[in-house]
Amino acid sequence: QICLSLVKLLFYLAHSPLGSIALLDFQPRQFVMVDGNLKVTDMDDASTEELSCKEDNDCTLDFPTKSFPLKCSVVGKCEGINEKKNLFNAYRYFFTYLLPHSAPPALRPLLSDILNATGDLRYGINETLSAFEKVLHLYKSGLYLQKRPLLLKDYISLKGFRTVEGEDYKCWPSYSHLGCLLSIHSAEEAAAICNSQLQCQSFIVTQHRTWTGRPLASFQSSWTDLIPDTNAVLYIKRSASSGERL
């Protein structure tokens, strides 16, 4: 969410009515999240000036660890230097820390492609935004899910119940530090996640949703202490309990 919001902001800056705008003091502390969108808190160091040049050799974009040769345009300006400066700063301050760690395994190669392409400045802001929107579409639609055996049949469902909240085993990347709370596309995906975790014996699908509209599921090592909850469905592994016991 943070990276996509940043890319949308940089897309606007690259195509603003004032021309391409560079953020000269590009640091994470210069941004803040407001209602799920990234905002710039300080525009004092923004500039619409693009470096003047006479030849291509005048257009090297330098960073502490990398340099990029750019073209000198017919009007004597280094082509796209403001856009590329913003994009590489997004890569080194945001993408490298946030993109590799929390996506479903099937989407990680696509995010790695974005990471590598922006790190080498092979993508401009238009291509970067398009790539992010493709990943978001796959994520929201569930099209990233690989065909696999149906596992939900191995679970018993109890509509209108959940377990008492408490600290349980932890997983990554969890929305709660007390347990294993993940976003899912469907109960079928939740069953696959539960099967992949040795501690998991049950999971609860709630009405709570993430910014992408995906429901949250809580994965647990037990299913005791049930309480009524009309907005929840509890799924218990058949191997963890018999029908008679329920």
Side-chain angles (χ1 to χ4, degrees):
Q1 181 180 14
I2 293 171
C3 291
L4 175 63
S5 187
L6 175 59
V7 169
K8 288 180 177 179
L9 173 62
L10 297 187
F11 179 86
Y12 173 78
L13 294 179
H15 302 285
S16 83
L18 300 176
S20 183
I21 299 174
L23 301 177
L24 302 182
D25 186 19
F26 198 115
Q27 300 282 341
R29 65 173 179 269
Q30 299 283 29
F31 300 90
V32 64
M33 290 292 285
V34 179
D35 296 328
N37 295 306
L38 208 66
K39 306 285 186 180
V40 183
T41 61
D42 185 1
M43 292 293 289
D44 290 346
D45 293 312
S47 173
T48 58
E49 292 296 320
E50 293 198 306
L51 187 64
S52 298
C53 57
K54 293 183 178 179
E55 56 184 27
D56 290 350
N57 288 338
D58 298 329
C59 293
T60 301
L61 182 57
D62 290 315
F63 292 95
T65 59
K66 276 190 175 183
S67 295
F68 299 96
L70 304 181
K71 296 289 186 182
C72 182
S73 71
V74 293
V75 295
K77 297 290 183 180
C78 296
E79 287 185 359
I81 192 167
N82 286 350
E83 173 186 329
K84 288 176 167 47
K85 186 180 296 183
N86 287 342
L87 191 54
F88 189 79
N89 279 326
Y91 159 80
R92 65 179 181 144
Y93 287 119
F94 287 88
F95 297 172
T96 54
Y97 298 105
L98 300 177
L99 285 186
H101 305 298
S102 59
L107 291 178
R108 288 174 194 167
L110 296 178
L111 294 178
S112 293
D113 288 344
I114 294 174
L115 196 63
N116 294 331
T118 53
D120 295 333
L121 286 184
R122 287 185 285 109
Y123 280 0
I125 191 62
N126 294 358
E127 295 87 352
T128 303
L129 179 58
S130 177
F132 266 102
E133 289 180 335
K134 176 183 176 182
V135 174
L136 179 63
H137 172 67
L138 295 173
Y139 186 60
K140 292 174 69 173
S141 65
L143 291 174
Y144 68 91
L145 293 169
Q146 300 169 344
K147 290 188 179 297
R148 63 182 77 184
L150 298 179
L151 302 172
L152 198 59
K153 65 182 186 305
D154 298 328
Y155 289 77
I156 298 167
S157 65
L158 291 177
K159 294 183 179 180
F161 287 93
R162 63 175 174 84
T163 57
V164 175
E165 293 182 6
E167 190 166 347
D168 207 320
Y169 77 91
K170 299 173 178 60
C171 67
W172 175 261
S174 176
Y175 284 82
S176 169
H177 67 281
L178 295 176
C180 185
L181 184 66
L182 303 174
S183 77
I184 58 169
H185 176 259
S186 64
E188 187 64 54
E189 183 183 16
I193 293 172
C194 189
N195 276 27
S196 70
Q197 298 173 345
L198 293 177
Q199 306 99 314
C200 187
Q201 296 297 316
S202 65
F203 62 89
I204 301 163
V205 179
T206 70
Q207 295 291 320
H208 299 294
R209 294 180 179 271
T210 69
W211 66 281
T212 60
R214 288 162 56 97
L216 290 172
S218 176
F219 298 86
Q220 300 173 333
S221 59
S222 66
W223 55 274
T224 56
D225 300 325
L226 300 186
I227 58 175
D229 185 340
T230 57
N231 295 318
V233 182
L234 171 65
Y235 294 86
I236 305 167
K237 278 185 178 178
R238 291 183 184 276
S239 59
S241 177
S242 67
E244 291 79 12
R245 185 175 173 185
L246 285 174

